[in-house]
Amino acid sequence: MTRRERLQFLLAWLALGVLPLFLRPLWEPDEVRYAQIPLEMLAKGDWMTPTLNGVLYFEKPPFQYWLTAVSLKLFGTGAAAARLPLALASLLSMAAAFLLARRLGARRPVWAAFMAASALLGFFCAQALTLDALFSALIVASLACAVEAVTARVQGRAHLLWTLGAFLVLALALLTKGLAAPVLLGGILLASLVFAWADPKLRRAVLWTGFHPLGWLLFLGISAPWFVAMEQAHPGHARFFFIHEHFARFSSITHDRRASRNPVLDKLFFLGVLAVGLLPWLSQSVVGFVRGLAFVLRRRGPQGPEAALARWTVATVVLGVLVPLGFFSLSGSKLAPYILPALVPMVALACALEREGEEPVSLKRHGLELILLGALLLFAAPGALKAPGGLAWVLAAGLAFLLLGAWALRPKGLTAARWMAALAVSLLLLPLAAERWVGADRSVIHRVRKAPAEAQWISHGYYHQGIAYVTGRRVVVVGGTGELEFGSGQLTDPERVRWFVEDLHSLNATARRMAAEAPERPVWALSERKKWNRVSSADQAAWDVVDEGRKVVLLRLR
């Protein structure tokens, strides 16, 4: 990496991977959940057992929780501090894109890093506090290390650090989200053997990288102790985590996360996600992927001492797209961010397989995609606005993309640095517009802060994560146990009755019981609007409506 490339890489990371973390509050439910669990770790001093609202929460492993807990300890409980681990995810994804593009022979691999950070899917996932961004970053970083390890071994260079690096980040990926990590990387490397088998030296390099004994010792030494300790401390954890959260989630619709009830549309879901998520680099990515696929499937090709290695490298990066796409398409559980690991290999192929002299054509296609994106924001989004205050920001973002696309079509005075800066500024308008568009409905934190610090809280009809996050106290849940069902089931009967009331219509009885137990502390409630509307008018009369939005009502017991 040249000095100029290092500067461009750093500035792109700061603009697209760090600055967006500061632009909006935490949104319900995922962002607040993944901030609250680390806060409870800090409060209890127990860094092994994840809990949410005081009950066991076994759905995910702890690595990102640990990173977030450290950040919250050092920098306070603000939204940016909670999201800070995502800056590491962005850095790793950009570095992996750079390494893969460089290994594929890209003339300017720094563009692959920028494309990974500025594609819509990568940009939005990198600022949303879920586990997907870090998990994906660790997967693609492991893939990049594995490709470097195989290349170094074939070329007779030192390879052990790359090999151990692949196993290290793979272990951390397992500790972030689970078994999908070794399944994805293992599937890619095993499938790549088809393209390495005819060359004995290359075949040995791939096999040795994938089955290196020191690598597996490192992988198990990092990933296994937490699972063993959890099973010892909480018998049944392994069954819940590996069976319920992995095999049942993949092989059934237990979690009701189908993309569509139509089985064909369900299997094509992630193609649609990639079609939107790769904007404004979609056409270039498709061209690069098709060229890569054609290269590895051709029987004829360039000959030379490293021809087999070159073909294997392209094939492995192509598989870096196909294996996650196939795996998650077959799964019975689908959410858009799941396909994020396919994005980095796609942009690496796009960057590396662009032909010399083709830049003006690619820029024109890029500009047309930006115009399309701008037009959608300008003409489609305002009609669906739920908050009039966001209209100006949405229109500003649409106009910015429209003007940027026009500049690409007539690139007078356009340079790489100016283009990166202009696209980054345009993208930064999107989270600002999103917050003003839907933010009032996606965050309850501002409403919870209207209550006095000593208030007791009820979450009615739904578990609102932001209550416990702001107050630092457990919340009584009435008629909305939801994802806390497993944890609440591990409580003793008196504890479960105290903190979880399944009857939606027991709101007033629960509030009166809490007021009698601590008369000096007022009782407040945050109710899902649909559930509040089902409460009888007589019961509603016992409450003052302090604030209300489209989805929630803030209440104070009279």
Side-chain angles (χ1 to χ4, degrees), residues 197-208:
W197 204 258
D199 187 297
K201 188 176 183 180
L202 178 58
R203 182 176 70 242
R204 286 193 299 270
V206 176
L207 288 170
W208 187 250

Side-chain angles (χ1 to χ4, degrees), residues 433-510:
E435 170 58 26
R436 286 152 183 82
W437 182 353
V438 298
D441 296 326
R442 296 299 303 273
S443 176
V444 302
I445 290 175
H446 63 290
R447 289 192 169 93
V448 175
R449 285 177 174 153
K450 293 183 178 182
E454 69 275 12
Q456 304 178 78
W457 278 94
I458 296 173
S459 186
H460 178 244
Y462 178 80
Y463 175 58
H464 298 282
Q465 316 270 351
I467 303 174
Y469 182 74
V470 171
T471 64
R473 298 191 181 97
R474 292 180 72 177
V475 179
V476 176
V477 182
V478 176
T481 303
E483 64 183 323
L484 301 179
E485 181 179 359
F486 171 81
S488 65
Q490 311 307 305
L491 298 175
T492 63
D493 288 342
E495 283 184 303
R496 186 166 58 253
V497 170
R498 171 71 178 83
W499 295 104
F500 296 92
V501 181
E502 296 302 326
D503 182 8
L504 184 70
H505 299 287
S506 295
L507 173 63
N508 285 26
T510 302

